[in-house]
Amino acid sequence: MFKKMSAEFFGTFWLVFGGCGSAILAAGFPELGIGFAGVALAFGLTVLTMAYAVGHISGGHFNPAVTIGLWAGGRFSAKDVVPYVVAQVIGGIAAAAVLYVIASGKAGFDATVSGFASNGYGEHSPGGFTLQSAVVVEMVLSAFFLIVIHGVTDKRAPAGFAPLAIGLALTLIHLISIPVTNTSVNPARSTAVAIFQGTWALQQLWLFWLMPIIGGIIGGLIYRHLLEKKD
């Protein structure tokens, strides 16, 4: 279990460091910034690379909603859910702390003002989308993410391609929803940066735990009961 938790720690660290780091350090850089598409790709690449690197150790969840969704889908033991989630949250916070140190090296940096890649709705949505929009997009995208994960890791699926499909799915999810919520679908990612933003991000954090987990459970149950072939 220690090796599995370590893999989840490092995988989630890489996800937050690479994905949120691209948003904080590179997305808005004058003239050369990578923009929404670059950030979306960065998140996908973090999952793709670490799923290949440590997926054989822990399963490569890096996300509490994925862990709980896999449990709902009958693919993961209930007794391991809490240790995985703890490792993921700690890994995310560690990455956010490193990003904070790096970002603080720029004159005038203020995580409270910049948002520090936090997720939000209403006035804190990048596109000004409402709470209702945030609820729907986080739930629907989390559900489909879990359907993809269950499908590509099914024993009937082609072997060896799961990390690629999962990484591309996460890229697509970000392309859709960065304007709505700055894209969570991952409570550990949301928690990590919200701690350093420190104000509104913490107040709105409840949504980015609740809706990804509900969506993950829905996706796991859909695959388990409607799509999975019974032996």
Side-chain angles (χ1 to χ4, degrees):
M1 178 54 70
F2 179 75
K3 288 185 178 180
K4 291 180 180 180
M5 291 178 68
S6 296
E8 288 298 304
F9 172 92
F10 288 114
T12 312
F13 182 103
W14 191 234
L15 184 151
V16 172
F17 189 78
C20 295
S22 70
I24 294 166
L25 304 175
F29 203 83
E31 298 182 5
L32 299 175
I34 61 175
F36 283 178
V39 174
L41 182 60
F43 271 101
L45 289 173
T46 62
V47 169
L48 188 158
T49 52
M50 288 307 287
Y52 275 121
V54 301
H56 58 285
I57 299 171
S58 67
H61 300 184
F62 320 141
N63 181 340
V66 170
T67 297
I68 295 170
L70 287 170
W71 163 77
R75 299 281 189 86
F76 194 68
S77 172
K79 67 180 177 61
D80 294 335
V81 169
V82 171
Y84 266 54
V85 170
V86 170
Q88 291 156 3
V89 171
I90 294 173
I93 293 171
V98 175
L99 283 174
Y100 187 84
V101 172
I102 295 170
S104 297
K106 182 177 180 180
F109 169 76
D110 186 339
T112 303
V113 175
S114 70
F116 204 58
S118 295
N119 302 114
Y121 55 85
E123 65 178 308
H124 303 298
S125 158
F129 288 84
T130 64
L131 170 61
Q132 176 180 296
S133 297
V135 166
V136 173
V137 80
E138 289 291 331
M139 182 172 63
V140 170
L141 291 177
S142 297
F144 272 89
F145 193 36
L146 265 294
I147 291 172
V148 170
I149 291 170
H150 277 84
V152 300
T153 56
D154 193 302
K155 60 185 178 182
R156 296 172 293 164
F161 292 98
L164 181 61
I166 293 168
L168 289 173
L170 190 60
T171 299
L172 175 59
I173 285 168
H174 280 76
L175 288 172
I176 295 167
S177 60
I178 287 177
V180 184
T181 61
N182 215 21
T183 310
S184 172
V185 302
N186 185 336
R189 168 261 190 270
S190 298
T191 301
V193 290
I195 289 172
F196 291 89
Q197 197 285 324
T199 56
W200 60 261
L202 288 172
Q203 296 166 8
Q204 297 190 350
L205 183 59
W206 65 270
L207 185 143
F208 302 107
W209 273 88
L210 184 62
M211 301 322 299
I213 288 174
I214 291 175
I217 291 171
I218 291 171
L221 292 175
I222 287 173
Y223 197 87
R224 183 177 188 175
H225 296 292
L226 296 180
L227 300 173
E228 193 164 47
K229 183 178 179 180
K230 307 300 180 182
D231 293 328

